[in-house]
Amino acid sequence: MLTFFIGSYTEYPIPGFGGIGHGIYTVQMNTETGKLTTVHTEKARNPSYMAISDDNRFLYCNTEIDEVENPKVRAYRINPDFSLEFLNEQAISGGYPCHIAFHENNVLVACYATGNVIQYPLDASGKLLVKAKQYHHKGSSINKGRQEAPHAHQVVIHPNKKDIYVCDLGIDMVKAYHLKEGELLPNAGKDCLVSKGGGPRHMVFSNDGIMAYVLNELTGAISVLLDKNGAFEEIKSYASLPNDFKKVPSASAIRLHPNGKYFYAANRTLEAITIFAIVGNTLQQIDYQYTKGKEVREFNITPEGRWLIACHQNSHDTVVYKIQEDGTLMETYRTKEILSPVCIVFQNQAHEE
């Protein structure tokens, strides 16, 4: 069995956006059949993203709500049976916190509405301390409806375990940070611009950290970045949507297969995962896996690379695919038991039967 956590939207902060989930679901997967079983639930308001400490003892989540609703960052102990024990919470000084990362005994939070990133240190018991630092991004870009201001969308740690990057959809930039003597500081020399109007949402790194791949929400394009003299530069952009696609793009999530050979990108208005092969510095499209649900917001790949699990926010489908030798996907299980699922987090090592 593989045990992991799925976060959900539990309310609608604005009409048409949100969900009816129960909070954080502890889920077990039969690693022979792909069947999912919910074993615990933990109530929280819109726990839309989660992070697990490096030692797998603690889980952290944001509550994605408007700033006037007093969003929080929350800490939990992971019990031996994988239920969650609430430890404490701290206020988030920002609107719609949408992503969270664990790094060197800190939790880092990105706030979409207010375009800021916040550092919360942790004490020895895993509890959150009050915020230590925060930074507000500045600027705008060419999509006047979506890029009128900064919109920090993801905090991600480079494989070197030193560099920290924040995708900002509103300014078409990946902002760089690092920790110095435990303090989060900007590292402007490593900021990276992507193609105008793209709206960078999420990024992943190659296993050696030399390449990075940015998913642009507003165009569905994949920006391929190369480390040149210690800083990333965009070297090429690839479409993840079909040439005849006529709807408004709404790219949502990307993952790199653990073997480094395959790359996956989800698009909500297409309701599909686009599959690429990685060949040197290039991407070669292999297939579209249509997910047959509504609002494929997030997916993740199990640590050993055998399974891909996709979450549909609006139709409540959680779909399990077996990853084939050639990187394509074969559906093996589907459930509507988990309501409004929007993120998946695994422990920091593979767990197989």
Side-chain angles (χ1 to χ4, degrees), residues 53 55 57-58 60 75-77 86-90 102-107 119-132:
S53 62
D55 61 8
R57 294 175 60 206
F58 306 104
Y60 302 92
Y76 299 90
R77 179 181 290 111
F86 177 70
L87 294 178
N88 79 324
E89 62 185 15
Q90 295 288 353
F102 177 92
H103 182 51
E104 288 189 9
N105 215 41
N106 292 277
V107 167
Q119 174 193 8
Y120 296 89
L122 304 171
D123 70 14
S125 69
K127 289 183 179 179
L128 294 147
L129 301 175
V130 296
K131 73 183 179 194

Side-chain angles (χ1 to χ4, degrees), residues 216-236:
N216 292 285
E217 177 178 332
L218 305 181
T219 60
I222 311 295
S223 297
V224 178
L225 313 183
L226 178 65
D227 188 332
K228 294 184 177 181
N229 302 314
F232 283 111
E233 294 181 17
E234 183 181 69
I235 59 170
K236 190 148 183 162

Side-chain angles (χ1 to χ4, degrees), residues 128-331:
L128 294 147
L129 301 175
V130 296
K131 73 183 179 194
K133 299 290 287 188
Q134 74 167 330
Y135 298 94
H136 284 83
H137 297 171
K138 292 181 171 61
S140 59
S141 195
I142 63 173
N143 184 325
K144 300 307 179 187
R146 294 291 307 278
Q147 297 182 308
E148 79 298 342
H151 294 300
H153 218 307
Q154 184 201 34
V155 184
V156 61
I157 313 303
H158 189 273
N160 66 15
K161 301 298 185 186
K162 295 178 182 177
D163 291 311
I164 302 163
Y165 293 93
V166 179
C167 291
D168 194 306
L169 180 148
I171 59 177
D172 287 322
M173 185 180 289
V174 178
K175 297 284 288 180
Y177 293 87
H178 59 179
L179 291 179
K180 190 171 183 180
E181 296 178 358
E183 182 179 343
L184 183 70
L185 294 172
N187 195 8
K190 293 191 176 187
D191 288 352
C192 178
L193 284 167
V194 300
S195 297
K196 287 288 184 185
R201 178 183 172 95
H202 283 184
M203 73 187 298
V204 293
F205 300 98
S206 60
N207 293 333
D208 60 11
I210 295 171
M211 308 289 300
Y213 307 90
V214 176
L215 181 68
N216 292 285
E217 177 178 332
L218 305 181
T219 60
I222 311 295
S223 297
V224 178
L225 313 183
L226 178 65
D227 188 332
K228 294 184 177 181
N229 302 314
F232 283 111
E233 294 181 17
E234 183 181 69
I235 59 170
K236 190 148 183 162
S237 180
Y238 293 86
S240 67
L241 295 166
N243 292 332
D244 60 355
F245 184 74
K246 296 292 192 288
K247 296 180 181 179
V248 176
S250 188
S252 56
I254 50 172
R255 298 288 177 183
L256 186 72
H257 193 280
N259 67 16
K261 295 179 181 179
Y262 302 110
F263 174 85
Y264 302 83
N267 286 276
R268 287 171 283 197
T269 42
L270 182 66
E271 304 300 3
I273 295 170
T274 309
I275 305 166
F276 296 90
I278 298 173
V279 182
N281 291 355
T282 68
L283 295 177
Q284 294 182 1
Q285 189 176 313
I286 297 174
D287 197 13
Y288 296 106
Q289 178 68 48
Y290 289 88
T291 56
K292 302 172 185 174
K294 293 180 181 178
E295 198 84 357
V296 57
R297 184 178 179 87
E298 175 65 296
F299 67 94
N300 209 340
I301 297 170
T302 57
E304 83 294 337
R306 290 177 57 199
W307 305 90
L308 183 149
I309 306 169
C311 294
H312 293 84
Q313 177 181 340
N314 292 346
S315 59
H316 318 295
D317 296 88
T318 304
V319 190
V320 180
Y321 298 95
K322 184 169 278 188
I323 300 174
Q324 306 299 294
E325 287 288 324
D326 62 358
T328 59
L329 304 175
M330 181 177 71
E331 182 177 334

